[in-house]
Amino acid sequence: MGTILLVGLGVLFLVNLPIAFALGASSTLAMLIQGNVSLMIIPQRMFAAVDSFPLMAIPFFVLAGNLMGDGGISRRLIAFASSIMGRVTGGLAIVTVATCMFFAAISGSSAATAAAIGTLLIPAMVKRNYDLNFAAATVAASGELGVIIPPSIPMVLFGVMAGQSIGTMFIAGFIPGFLIAGSLMATAYFISKKKGFVGTEKSSLKQITATFKDAMLALLMPVIILGGIYGGIFTPTEAAVVAVFYGGVIGLFVYREIKISDLKKIFTESTITTATIMIIIANASTFGWIMTREQIPVKIAEAFLSISGGSPALFLLLVNILLLFIGTMFETSAAIIILTPLLFPISQSLGIDPIHFGIIMIVNLAVGMVTPPLGINLFITCNIAKTSIEDLTRYLVPYLLVLIADIFIITYIPQITLWLPQFMGAIK
Amino acid sequence: MNTIVKGIDQLNRLVIWIIVLLLGVMSAVIFMQVIFRYVFHAALPWSEELARYLMVWSTFLGASLGIRRRALIGMEVLVKALPKLATRITLELVTVFQIIFLAVVLFYSIKMTMVANSQVSAAMLIPMSWAYVGIPIGMFLMILNTIAVALERWEGVK
């Protein structure tokens, strides 16, 4: 049963069946051919997997992100970041990283972040004589902050799949997120200095205050979400719905950039985006059920342990390589759904902190999304910039090297991830 | 052939209104849950359950529109690298395979829904079949939309 399951999955992936159906169909085949189980298990597992209150944070965070994105938030965040950091060498590139950071604190996905920021900042950089491919590479690389800085959809998924607190995952993502953002800014600065991409004119304190006031309502959103969760006021799902109402009120009545008639489109897009993730969860549930029944995770764990000789450091290195590779092919959410049940138990038997392991998985997969030739962020930014992945790669290499260095720092210095949650008393 | 695709898209327009409503009610209900707890100090017993069932519906209905918009992603790289004819044959076979899989789930989800008719939900005390039936409806719509995408591809080739 196990062999049919895994071989079936592999073949169905390769012939371009959607990931969700490849998981579901390989499970069905395995049950049909060998199992003496009723196929009614399939819809039952599907229902049980989706019928989850913590997972409801996903549609709400997606909806809140879309409401804020269409509501003129991105433009205001860019104006604010430009007024502070636009003046230095490579100003707009650094602004790109900073804006992605702010936007990541509203949106939970990398692709959405890269799309929202890239559409506005790539043309702006080209206008100021930045190399088009440098601009696109900067957006692609900073887009990955979307899943690392909370709120983050992959963190919700990891929390649910591994039985960890989503709130603690969120708080653990902060310092790794800042580390990555800081290192990307430094890289952008050095490349710009070498290539002579200059900053914009200085802005006065008055301009800074004005753009801050304009962006303040957007910047307040993460404070409400995260403050609400850690203050014990809301569950993550409730915090997400509060973000929906907050984003809706600002977009409709304060900034007035969305109309009531736009809501139908925003709600439809948000539901479809959510459904593409949830349908994977539904099908992965049947898949996971068979895997557990056949004790496949235990077997994989044994193989992993015998290769790594029980050394957590070596295991994490193997995980780094595996996830980087998987991340170039699969969207972060899909990879988390499939791999958490396999890798998490091994990490636990090796005594790795569960929250730290979650952050390692997410950071790795996020970097995979900007790794050629298949990273999803690359396709999105190349599409916006009308350039090819080959041309973009030259400028992407320094960013990638820095990101890989970040992965190792985050993997092997657990304190970067765990200090803040410990300090706030979220974990012991 | 064109009329079939148009018919399915007409149905999709109705489905869009339903999913907009589902997400709207879901948001409103959970927002109310927060308000009731903090303002009126009274927990709503039914809000979470209702929202969860609505999410089940919106997942399976939303996925059918995801198929129509080709938003359910797979690995295109290998298939696209094949010779043209082989790409076509693979795509058609995979489509047929997908329809068979969805039909199997459709069949067993109808069975599950019928069995669940006698069960009652924990909080709202409604028949569980009301929640379950979102899956067969979604599966049916997914089959229709898989067909619509395939027909459109055919028209494009001709």
Side-chain angles (χ1 to χ4, degrees):
Chain A
M1 206 159 165
T3 323
I4 300 171
L5 186 75
L6 296 176
V7 172
L9 179 70
V11 172
L12 294 175
F13 266 151
L14 291 176
V15 296
N16 194 22
L17 191 68
I19 295 171
F21 300 143
L23 287 162
S26 56
S27 317
T28 313
L29 278 178
M31 285 164 133
L32 272 177
I33 294 174
Q34 261 174 21
N36 38 4
V37 282
S38 160
L39 290 187
M40 212 150 77
I41 286 281
I42 300 169
Q44 278 167 358
R45 296 292 311 178
M46 282 183 166
F47 183 87
V50 180
D51 180 32
S52 146
F53 189 64
L55 284 180
M56 211 184 291
I58 296 174
F60 293 152
F61 277 134
V62 172
L63 178 57
N66 283 346
L67 282 168
M68 297 294 256
D70 285 8
I73 297 282
S74 342
R75 209 162 30 77
R76 289 176 172 82
L77 291 176
I78 291 170
F80 173 56
S82 303
S83 74
I84 302 177
M85 282 174 282
R87 69 188 70 176
V88 291
T89 305
L92 274 181
I94 294 171
V95 165
T96 303
V97 183
T99 317
C100 281
M101 229 169 97
F102 292 145
F103 197 82
I106 295 167
S107 145
S109 102
S110 283
T113 306
I117 304 306
T119 324
L120 292 170
L121 271 173
I122 293 175
M125 278 192 265
V126 172
K127 215 165 114 193
R128 295 208 170 253
N129 296 323
Y130 284 66
D131 186 289
L132 171 72
N133 289 307
F134 172 64
T138 308
V139 170
S142 0
E144 76 153 67
L145 290 167
V147 292
I148 299 166
I149 291 183
S152 148
I153 290 168
M155 285 182 192
V156 173
L157 289 170
F158 179 84
V160 171
M161 313 277 315
Q164 299 300 315
S165 151
I166 294 166
T168 310
M169 282 299 291
F170 280 2
I171 202 159
F174 257 108
I175 296 180
F178 278 103
L179 170 75
I180 292 171
S183 64
L184 289 177
M185 283 184 196
T187 317
Y189 176 81
F190 285 118
I191 297 176
S192 303
K193 200 161 184 187
K194 216 172 125 198
K195 300 276 172 186
F197 304 143
V198 291
T200 48
E201 60 280 359
K202 272 191 179 181
S203 44
S204 62
L205 191 66
K206 214 170 140 190
Q207 270 170 301
I208 297 178
T209 347
T211 53
F212 174 71
K213 262 191 199 151
D214 211 21
M216 196 180 65
L217 287 173
L219 294 169
L220 213 60
M221 180 134 141
V223 178
I224 297 173
I225 296 177
L226 299 171
I229 297 175
Y230 304 126
I233 303 174
F234 325 120
T235 61
T237 304
E238 289 172 346
V241 90
V242 170
V244 166
F245 278 81
Y246 185 78
V249 167
I250 288 177
L252 282 169
F253 306 115
V254 184
Y255 293 162
R256 297 185 188 204
E257 293 201 16
I258 37 180
K259 296 186 289 290
I260 296 278
S261 56
D262 298 331
L263 289 181
K264 183 188 162 200
K265 189 176 155 272
I266 295 175
F267 274 56
T268 312
E269 299 303 325
S270 306
T271 304
I272 294 178
T273 305
T274 309
T276 55
I277 300 172
M278 299 292 278
I279 197 78
I280 298 176
I281 299 175
N283 282 284
S285 169
T286 329
F287 192 83
W289 182 80
I290 301 180
M291 281 213 299
T292 315
R293 200 165 173 265
E294 298 293 302
Q295 297 195 314
I296 296 173
V298 180
K299 286 172 194 159
I300 294 182
E302 278 165 4
F304 239 133
L305 289 178
S306 70
I307 299 171
S308 63
S311 145
L314 199 58
F315 165 70
L316 288 178
L317 184 67
L318 291 173
V319 167
N320 285 146
I321 297 167
L322 174 78
L323 292 183
L324 211 53
F325 177 69
I326 299 264
T328 65
M329 288 187 290
F330 294 112
E331 211 263 323
T332 312
S333 300
I336 291 276
I337 297 164
I338 300 170
L339 292 176
T340 304
L342 284 176
L343 298 177
F344 184 69
I346 313 178
S347 75
Q348 291 314 287
S349 65
L350 287 171
I352 298 162
D353 183 272
I355 298 291
H356 182 216
F357 189 70
I359 299 293
I360 293 174
M361 280 190 80
I362 289 162
V363 172
N364 263 289
L365 292 168
V367 175
M369 287 179 73
V370 284
T371 308
L374 296 172
I376 291 170
N377 274 15
L378 295 179
F379 285 105
I380 293 169
T381 36
C382 284
N383 218 342
I384 298 168
K386 305 270 177 290
T387 182
S388 73
I389 292 186
E390 289 79 41
D391 291 335
L392 180 132
T393 303
R394 196 162 61 91
Y395 279 106
L396 194 67
V397 171
Y399 283 123
L400 269 178
L401 292 177
V402 166
L403 288 173
I404 290 171
D406 286 335
I407 289 185
F408 282 110
I409 295 172
I410 292 165
T411 306
Y412 293 105
I413 311 178
Q415 281 312 310
I416 291 177
T417 307
L418 298 177
W419 180 79
L420 192 61
Q422 278 164 350
F423 177 76
M424 293 190 59
I427 46 175
K428 280 183 211 110
Chain B
M1 216 111 80
N2 219 337
T3 45
I4 301 176
V5 178
K6 274 188 185 152
I8 295 171
D9 281 339
Q10 199 65 42
L11 186 62
N12 283 341
R13 270 191 276 278
L14 175 70
V15 176
I16 285 177
W17 278 113
I18 298 174
I19 62 168
V20 167
L21 195 71
L22 289 171
L23 184 55
V25 176
M26 250 164 78
S27 314
V29 162
I30 297 303
F31 193 65
M32 267 173 66
Q33 172 176 316
V34 179
I35 300 286
F36 268 74
R37 198 168 64 232
Y38 281 95
V39 183
F40 303 108
H41 299 283
L44 295 177
W46 48 268
S47 54
E48 186 189 312
E49 192 183 85
L50 173 61
R52 277 192 281 114
Y53 293 167
L54 295 178
M55 184 166 69
V56 172
W57 272 75
S58 102
T59 295
F60 291 92
L61 297 191
S64 76
L65 296 172
I67 291 178
R68 185 73 184 93
R69 299 188 184 187
R70 296 172 186 79
L72 290 192
I73 36 173
M75 282 232 314
E76 281 186 328
V77 195
L78 187 81
V79 174
K80 285 237 171 104
L82 293 172
K84 230 177 170 181
L85 184 69
T87 306
R88 279 242 27 213
I89 295 174
T90 317
L91 282 179
E92 304 304 346
L93 285 178
V94 167
T95 300
V96 173
F97 187 80
Q98 178 170 322
I99 292 173
I100 295 173
F101 166 66
L102 293 171
V104 170
V105 182
L106 171 64
F107 177 79
Y108 284 97
S109 59
I110 291 174
K111 227 171 136 178
M112 170 182 74
T113 308
M114 276 160 28
V115 172
N117 212 9
S118 51
Q119 300 164 14
V120 187
S121 79
M124 293 184 291
L125 305 176
I126 55 166
M128 278 308 287
S129 52
W130 293 10
Y132 285 153
V133 76
I135 298 184
I137 294 175
M139 289 298 152
F140 179 67
L141 292 170
M142 283 187 228
I143 295 175
L144 288 184
N145 280 292
T146 308
I147 294 171
V149 171
L151 287 178
E152 222 169 45
R153 195 170 57 225
W154 273 30
E155 295 278 310
V157 170
K158 255 191 269 172

